[in-house]
Amino acid sequence: MRENSMVARRNEQGHEVLVAYRPVQFNLDQTARAMHAVLDPHLRKLNSRSRVGRSRVRDVLRQIVTDGWPPEFDADPERVAYWRTWLLRNSIFTDDSQ
């Protein structure tokens, strides 16, 4: 993968984190919750015209960091667990110790 790909990196404490918007970092559980938000309807239309064919993940993570979670978003624990497993299976995160 390219150096700037969406892949978790180790922080100063050795924990894997995804840099969502400098200097904010998301751990595995936070990233799984954000992926649930990205692909569920609440944030699906964020910048949809300018991002056709491109990933919305960074835009959604940036919005969550700067504006907070959408008030209507209620994370489903089963969907969060699914995305947590997906992030590990696809090697975006490799550390499940968090």
Side-chain angles (χ1 to χ4, degrees):
M1 282 191 180
R2 297 182 320 243
E3 182 63 28
N4 62 357
S5 294
M6 291 283 285
V7 177
R9 310 255 189 264
R10 294 207 179 269
N11 65 9
E12 308 80 48
Q13 292 81 29
H15 299 287
E16 284 192 335
V17 293
L18 186 71
V19 176
Y21 184 70
R22 294 187 191 278
V24 177
Q25 302 171 346
F26 278 25
N27 65 25
L28 175 58
D29 289 332
Q30 293 165 332
T31 305
R33 188 169 186 254
M35 290 298 292
H36 175 27
V38 168
L39 297 176
D40 282 342
H42 306 292
L43 295 176
R44 192 171 51 206
K45 294 187 177 183
L46 177 68
N47 285 336
S48 59
R49 289 186 184 197
S50 64
R51 305 282 299 172
V52 171
R54 296 170 60 192
S55 172
R56 292 184 304 271
V57 175
R58 280 201 194 276
D59 288 342
V60 172
L61 294 178
R62 187 172 294 120
Q63 179 174 333
I64 290 167
V65 168
T66 57
D67 300 336
W69 292 93
E72 69 277 7
F73 178 68
D74 185 24
D76 175 359
E78 290 181 16
R79 296 300 295 159
V80 173
Y82 168 84
W83 285 110
R84 192 176 199 284
T85 301
W86 185 91
L87 289 161
L88 290 166
R89 188 176 59 239
N90 286 281
S91 301
I92 295 170
F93 279 82
T94 58
D95 185 356
D96 194 18
S97 64
Q98 298 177 31

